Amino acid sequence: MVSASPVRYPLRSSSTSLAMAVYMSAATVATATATATTRSLSLIQCGASSSASLLSIRKSSAIRCVSTAAEGEKTGGRVATVKNGGDELVICRVLNGMWQTSGGWGPIDRDDAVEAMLRYADAGLSTFDMSNHYGPAEDLYGMFINGVRRERPPELLEEVRGWDYSNPEYLDALKHLTDLKEEGKIKTIALTNFDTERLHTILENGILVVSNQVQHSVVDMRPQQRMAELCQLTGVKLITYGTVMGGLLSEKFLDTNVSIPFAGPPLNTPSLQKYKRMVDAWGGWSLFQTLLRTLKKVASKHGVSISTVAVRYILNQPSVAGSMIGVRLGLSEHIHATNAILSLVLDEEDMNSVSEVSSNGRDLLKVIGDCGDEYRRI
């Protein structure tokens, strides 16, 4: 078995816009025959000084780890296990999203970014989300992993992302990945943005996946409808993104009116613009302000921020294993605030007050469609 650093080999189905990523040894690359675009999540267990010594990193479809559920108990619920059958992996419950290295948020100094990644890992915030279209994200990961490889090698999970279901070849691609997994060249397989119907089809075909990464927030509760029911029946877990809506779910946008030019904070990043469209589809800015005020009331009660409450609310959903928060590596850090999410306990009154306002918006399952349809219906 080759012990060299993992190499990403892309697999692309020629007739479907399915994206997936595979991490394998250099020897494995010579045996693979298919091609694809990628994203992945990877997990490393390292000897960090933190009590949660897991270092995980995500690429479009890759995670790797050797921790157990018992370790989750010792770290106060900081980690979660995603598993299906004999496939199992432990991840940090708050993942660091690296979309913000792609260029739309300003320039990134690579050395500063890698140092920031090490600080996050040392703080026990050990999972990084990356993709091949996230600018230098994968290069930063390479620099980062080279710095920690001496302690522990990385663990990887392969995620497959589905866009166009008109051609069922995505099943063939997943079966090919399953073959590679059975050969010991892939540890675990997961999905990104698959809807409930296709997830059900995949599982019916005997393909073991441990998780599905979907957009999920107090505004976008679609995953808690059809998808959550299937997850409960099958044991598949959700990893969520868009959980702080690019920063909209924060004090910065409380009591503001972004519809008036220069009257409120600018929507000057790709994520703010994207999630503002979700707010409009859900119920508009006025209802969103009611939601922010409700979140602020709960946040003040616990001495935390609006975004902390918003993420904890989603993590409290039984189907959710982890939630991603974007990080501006080398530019700003939110390690303390992120750790606050993992220690926050919301009581029944807190959960009910947020649920009540969230449910006052439109049913986005009817407006947009199921998980991932926001991309497929553009």
Side-chain angles (χ1 to χ4, degrees):
M1 179 177 179
V2 178
S3 61
S5 63
V7 180
R8 179 175 55 80
Y9 184 81
L11 292 120
R12 180 196 303 263
S13 170
S14 60
S15 56
T16 180
S17 55
L18 170 74
M20 63 192 69
V22 180
Y23 281 83
M24 54 190 80
S25 69
T28 305
V29 173
T31 66
T33 58
T35 59
T37 58
T38 66
R39 288 188 43 154
S40 59
L41 180 60
S42 80
L43 183 66
I44 306 160
Q45 184 176 8
C46 68
S49 58
S50 166
S51 60
S53 61
L54 291 178
L55 181 74
S56 44
I57 299 167
R58 168 184 187 307
K59 184 196 162 286
S60 164
S61 294
I63 301 179
R64 188 167 127 198
C65 173
V66 292
S67 289
T68 64
E71 286 177 310
E73 295 175 3
K74 289 188 292 183
T75 55
R78 297 178 64 90
V79 298
T81 302
V82 290
K83 60 183 178 179
N84 197 337
D87 297 343
E88 180 175 304
L89 192 68
V90 180
I91 64 170
C92 181
R93 295 208 71 195
V94 177
L95 299 86
N96 306 308
M98 294 179 66
W99 183 26
Q100 295 183 10
T101 66
S102 63
W105 290 260
I108 295 289
D109 181 280
R110 295 192 175 204
D111 291 336
D112 290 346
V114 171
E115 286 298 319
M117 293 173 75
L118 291 169
R119 288 192 294 273
Y120 273 90
D122 286 342
L125 302 172
S126 56
T127 306
F128 293 82
D129 168 54
M130 67 194 75
S131 173
N132 64 339
H133 63 275
Y134 286 5
E138 292 180 333
D139 293 336
L140 295 174
Y141 164 68
M143 296 168 64
F144 168 73
I145 195 61
N146 284 337
V148 299
R149 186 177 302 283
R150 290 183 298 274
E151 298 180 28
R152 296 290 170 86
E155 292 278 345
L156 301 170
L157 165 97
E158 313 308 330
E159 283 184 353
V160 175
R161 178 173 31 174
W163 298 121
D164 182 3
Y165 301 135
S166 62
N167 190 310
E169 285 189 2
Y170 67 89
L171 288 172
D172 296 330
L174 282 164
K175 289 175 181 177
H176 177 66
L177 291 178
T178 299
D179 290 341
L180 293 175
K181 180 172 67 69
E182 291 176 352
E183 293 172 14
K185 297 167 183 173
I186 293 174
K187 182 175 178 63
T188 338
I189 300 174
L191 307 173
T192 299
N193 286 325
F194 274 81
D195 64 13
T196 308
E197 180 181 349
R198 253 57 60 163
L199 174 57
H200 185 264
T201 298
I202 290 166
L203 297 172
E204 276 193 326
N205 275 267
I207 299 168
L208 295 181
V209 298
V210 297
S211 64
N212 188 20
Q213 181 185 312
V214 295
Q215 182 174 293
H216 194 1
S217 68
V218 293
V219 166
D220 186 0
M221 294 294 292
R222 289 175 299 157
Q224 291 307 312
Q225 299 184 55
R226 300 177 61 203
M227 182 67 70
E229 183 178 359
L230 180 60
C231 288
Q232 183 177 0
L233 291 172
T234 62
V236 174
K237 288 293 186 178
L238 299 178
I239 295 176
T240 74
Y241 64 90
T243 310
V244 296
M245 304 188 72
L248 286 178
L249 288 168
S250 68
E251 282 79 2
K252 182 177 180 179
F253 289 92
L254 178 63
D255 296 327
T256 64
N257 187 349
V258 296
S259 63
I260 301 175
F262 309 109
L267 302 176
N268 56 358
T269 68
S271 54
L272 285 172
Q273 294 161 13
K274 170 187 176 181
Y275 293 114
K276 171 55 165 60
R277 292 192 293 271
M278 296 300 299
V279 168
D280 294 340
W282 170 70
W285 197 251
S286 178
L287 181 58
F288 186 67
Q289 287 299 309
T290 300
L291 175 61
L292 286 180
R293 286 191 287 272
T294 300
L295 291 169
K296 180 61 177 177
K297 182 178 179 181
V298 175
S300 297
K301 170 182 171 181
H302 294 280
V304 296
S305 68
I306 286 175
S307 59
T308 297
V309 174
V311 177
R312 185 74 251 182
Y313 178 86
I314 296 301
L315 286 176
N316 282 1
Q317 308 303 316
S319 58
V320 175
S323 295
M324 294 181 183
I325 298 179
V327 290
R328 301 189 68 186
L329 298 172
L331 298 177
S332 61
E333 288 188 5
H334 306 284
I335 291 175
H336 177 75
T338 303
N339 270 318
I341 297 168
L342 297 167
S343 59
L344 176 62
V345 177
L346 297 178
D347 59 32
E348 184 177 357
E349 181 183 8
D350 299 330
M351 293 294 292
N352 288 341
S353 64
V354 176
S355 296
E356 182 179 357
V357 182
S358 176
S359 64
N360 286 339
R362 299 186 186 97
D363 182 351
L364 292 182
L365 187 67
K366 296 178 181 178
V367 176
I368 298 173
D370 204 357
C371 299
D373 282 347
E374 61 270 24
Y375 302 107
R376 287 181 283 271
R377 296 186 179 184
I378 292 177

